[in-house]
Amino acid sequence: VGLLLIGGLVGIILGPLGLYAVPLFIYESSLLAIDLGGAIIPIVLSIYLIRLKKLNIVALSVVVFIISVLTYVTTEFRPSLGIVSEFPFYLIPSFCALGLTLGIYRDNITSAVPFAYASTTLGVLIGADIVRIPQVLIGLEKARVEMDLPIAAGSIGGAGGLDLVF
């Protein structure tokens, strides 16, 4: 958890400088990266919690799928801003994960918290970022051409800040 908090705070400082994302690939003249504090650290923490608590993988997969669909439906890609969600819609995936988690782990609250964190984190990253990669790449390329830039860049998990994951 300390790594998660420190990673997020460092991202706020280094993100605007372009020093906080790991490049994944280049499409035409657009770079797609993965954010350290908004994706890599939360994914690593989720995997750690899944293994540590030996969470039910089938239940986790179902909840991650549900959260992914809800996140996709409650977010949209805006070329000038990236992937966004409006209030109160950005609360829907988290509250749904909470309800599903309490239903699954009502007798074991010590596993409920890691389950809720992992399912929400993975579901949001899949539903908001991973599924929208083609849309983001097309949007980046259009923005690059409109602004006459040599290269455009986008990031999975936010652009150096604390993404919807948190």
Side-chain angles (χ1 to χ4, degrees), residues 64-78:
V64 166
F65 176 77
I66 292 168
I67 300 306
S68 296
V69 170
L70 288 172
T71 301
Y72 182 81
V73 170
T74 59
T75 59
E76 66 179 330
F77 175 73
R78 293 187 190 156

Side-chain angles (χ1 to χ4, degrees), residues 46-66:
S46 295
I47 293 168
Y48 172 75
L49 292 171
I50 291 166
R51 294 187 63 156
L52 178 71
K53 293 293 185 176
K54 297 177 178 53
L55 300 177
N56 183 328
I57 297 300
V58 174
L60 183 72
S61 299
V62 169
V63 174
V64 166
F65 176 77
I66 292 168

Side-chain angles (χ1 to χ4, degrees), residues 1-4 7 22 34-53 55 60 114 117-119 121-122 125 165-166:
V1 173
L3 178 62
L4 185 65
V22 177
I34 185 165
D35 191 74
L36 186 62
I40 295 173
I41 293 172
I43 290 169
V44 169
L45 180 59
S46 295
I47 293 168
Y48 172 75
L49 292 171
I50 291 166
R51 294 187 63 156
L52 178 71
K53 293 293 185 176
L55 300 177
L60 183 72
Y117 178 82
S119 62
T121 297
L122 299 174
L125 285 169
V165 167
F166 297 101

Side-chain angles (χ1 to χ4, degrees), residues 119-143:
S119 62
T120 306
T121 297
L122 299 174
V124 166
L125 285 169
I126 292 167
D129 293 338
I130 303 298
V131 175
R132 293 190 189 276
I133 286 176
Q135 195 177 14
V136 169
L137 290 173
I138 291 168
L140 284 172
E141 192 58 27
K142 284 181 183 177

Side-chain angles (χ1 to χ4, degrees), residues 79-96:
S80 59
L81 298 173
I83 298 165
V84 297
S85 184
E86 302 292 331
F87 178 81
F89 303 111
Y90 60 75
L91 299 172
I92 293 171
S94 297
F95 283 118
C96 183

